[in-house]
DNA sequence: GCGCCCATCCGGAGGAACCTTGATCGGACC
DNA sequence: GGTCCGATCAAGGTTCCTCCGGATGGGCGC
């Protein structure tokens, strides 16, 4: 336990940084702190820490911006651990896509956070228990559709028509895009409405919106 | 400056509480801390602090829930200062409605926070500069409409029709609700589409959704 | 092979809903 | 009295949606 990795803290709130620093104690060496995207990139490239503890939301951008900026500046060996109050899927995905090696929420204890920093410094990936399953799901499933059983009622062609229908395109426009006759579009549309048990395209739009298809 | 009000901290993140406590130093007396709604209400009623520093978002509810719970339990003289990373209008309104005497974001400095706590203890209302103007606006303006210049193009009757149209109601249904002829509805609808420069009701729906009218 | 089901494609007929255009009436304003 | 505008309604064309028909081609079981 004598190994103390070098760390830079990035968070726009002084109090959060003070709290993190206090809780980490002497288990890490804090080289510097930063409060916005530009400062963070500059000081990270200058000091080359082993790990960057990074808030997801910053006033001048996102944590992902910091990661991409550092990567562009040549800091390829620096590892990032996202530290956020948010466990919103979009936030997690964005920062992981950018290259973070871990994501923990601020509800973690100081000891656990220090453990996480050390493990990330050693090359591990660290996720809060609540997020681990989600991250696995999001990246193992290459299919963007979360397999909706009601969608299986529709044939592939009907699903294409359904998407355009829900977006408000006219039959004529759908026919032009799919290079088929208007009559064919009408047939597909009628089948879609019947299979999904909605009575017109307005209800279909709401149906699709609820499932985030549009 | 020898006056040090009694304070209870409510926040679900240990590190944030540690940071706040460290920054406040000896300018306040911290009686206790709590991490969720139930604990907070209990300990606040038990210890009766002068001020409660309250996070807006808690795992078991909201900061507003804590305030209403304490009020229901008889803690009428206790003053609340909301402390949050969020400056979302809904969050601010909810906690102020519940009875908070101030709202500051966590980007505040430790000294300023201590000042804010003292001022709230003395009966003042304290808001971060960025929020002060907003709070005034939100409560002085009794009109719920944020005065959209494009909406002024529509006559009152046309606005009624527009709302129903954007929600997907059929002409027949709109006519029944407004007790006018279908033909009249059609004319109003046509005027609405022309004035807002959209070509059909689907585009109107998106127009209204963007302005949060629906 | 042959029948069968189904997805995809296309057409006609018809009613409902949508949207445009033109018209009347009454109140406000000059 | 003339003009403008909002509210009302009607005529008529366009689009939407359903119901009917038919054609083709692929998969599947007998």
């Amino acid at each position: 336990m004598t190994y103390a990795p070098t760390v830079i803290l990035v968070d726009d709130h002084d109090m959060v940084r003070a709290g993190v620093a206090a809780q980490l104690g002497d288990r890490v060496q804090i080289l510097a702190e930063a409060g916005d995207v530009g400062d963070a990139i500059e000081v990270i490239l200058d000091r080359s820490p082993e790990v960057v503890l990074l808030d997801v939301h910053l006033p001048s951008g996102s944590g992902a911006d910091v990661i991409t900026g550092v990567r562009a500046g040549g800091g390829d060996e620096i590892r990032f651990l996202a530290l956020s109050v948010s466990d919103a899927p979009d936030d997690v995905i964005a920062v992981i896509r950018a290259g973070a090696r871990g994501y923990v929420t601020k509800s973690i204890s100081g000891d656990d956070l220090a453990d996480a920093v050390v493990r990330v410094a050693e090359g591990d990936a660290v996720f809060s228990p609540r997020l681990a399953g989600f991250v696995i799901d999001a990246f193992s499933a290459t299919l963007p559709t979360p397999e909706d059983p009601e969608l299986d009622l529709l044939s592939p062609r009907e699903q294409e028509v359904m998407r355009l229908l829900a977006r408000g395109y006219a039959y004529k426009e759908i026919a032009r895009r799919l290079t088929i006759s208007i009559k064919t579009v009408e047939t597909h549309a009628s089948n879609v409405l019947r299979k999904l048990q909605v009575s017109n395209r307005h209800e279909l739009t709401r149906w699709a919106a609820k499932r985030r298809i549009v």
Side-chain angles (χ1 to χ4, degrees), chain A:
Chain A
M1 196 66 82
T2 56
Y3 171 53
T6 53
V7 172
I8 287 182
L9 297 182
V10 180
D11 194 300
D12 54 318
H13 301 112
D14 290 347
M15 287 187 303
V16 175
R17 290 208 303 268
V20 172
Q23 297 251 328
L24 287 177
D26 54 0
R27 297 201 37 204
V28 307
Q29 305 174 48
I30 295 175
L31 298 180
E33 302 182 0
D36 69 55
V37 173
D39 289 351
I41 295 174
E42 185 178 343
V43 72
I44 290 168
L45 289 175
D46 181 49
R47 306 295 301 271
S48 285
E50 295 173 68
V51 178
V52 174
L53 260 178
L54 184 65
D55 192 16
V56 169
H57 295 114
L58 298 174
S60 50
S62 68
D65 294 335
V66 175
I67 298 179
T68 53
V70 171
R71 295 281 189 250
D76 296 329
E77 78 292 353
I78 297 169
R79 300 192 172 107
F80 292 86
L81 177 57
L83 176 69
S84 172
V85 294
S86 163
D87 57 355
D90 288 347
D91 292 338
V92 180
I93 289 178
V95 74
I96 299 299
R97 279 248 168 77
R101 299 298 299 266
Y103 193 114
V104 296
T105 61
K106 288 177 182 169
S107 52
I108 194 174
S109 75
D111 273 349
D112 289 343
L113 178 60
D115 289 340
V117 172
V118 170
R119 288 179 53 194
V120 168
E122 292 172 339
D124 282 356
V126 177
F127 291 93
S128 293
R130 285 182 52 195
L131 297 175
F134 162 74
V135 172
I136 302 288
D137 291 346
F139 285 84
S140 66
T142 51
L143 7 143
T145 54
E147 42 178 335
D148 193 320
E150 284 196 88
L151 262 181
D152 292 347
L153 295 173
L154 303 181
S155 70
R157 201 56 161 172
E158 284 166 353
Q159 291 192 22
E160 289 184 76
V161 174
M162 182 272 292
R163 281 172 220 277
L164 296 174
L165 216 47
R167 286 171 165 270
Y169 288 103
Y171 284 172
K172 192 193 295 183
E173 185 61 20
I174 297 175
R176 200 184 57 77
R177 288 183 173 241
L178 302 182
T179 55
I180 56 179
S181 161
I182 292 183
K183 301 307 289 184
T184 307
V185 175
E186 292 184 34
T187 302
H188 288 318
S190 188
N191 290 334
V192 167
L193 297 182
R194 179 177 42 79
K195 289 183 178 179
L196 299 182
Q197 304 196 42
V198 293
S199 57
N200 55 45
R201 60 194 302 155
H202 311 304
E203 292 182 23
L204 175 63
T205 298
R206 276 189 281 233
W207 182 92
K210 204 165 57 183
R211 280 168 181 70
R212 303 180 182 281
I213 294 174
V214 289

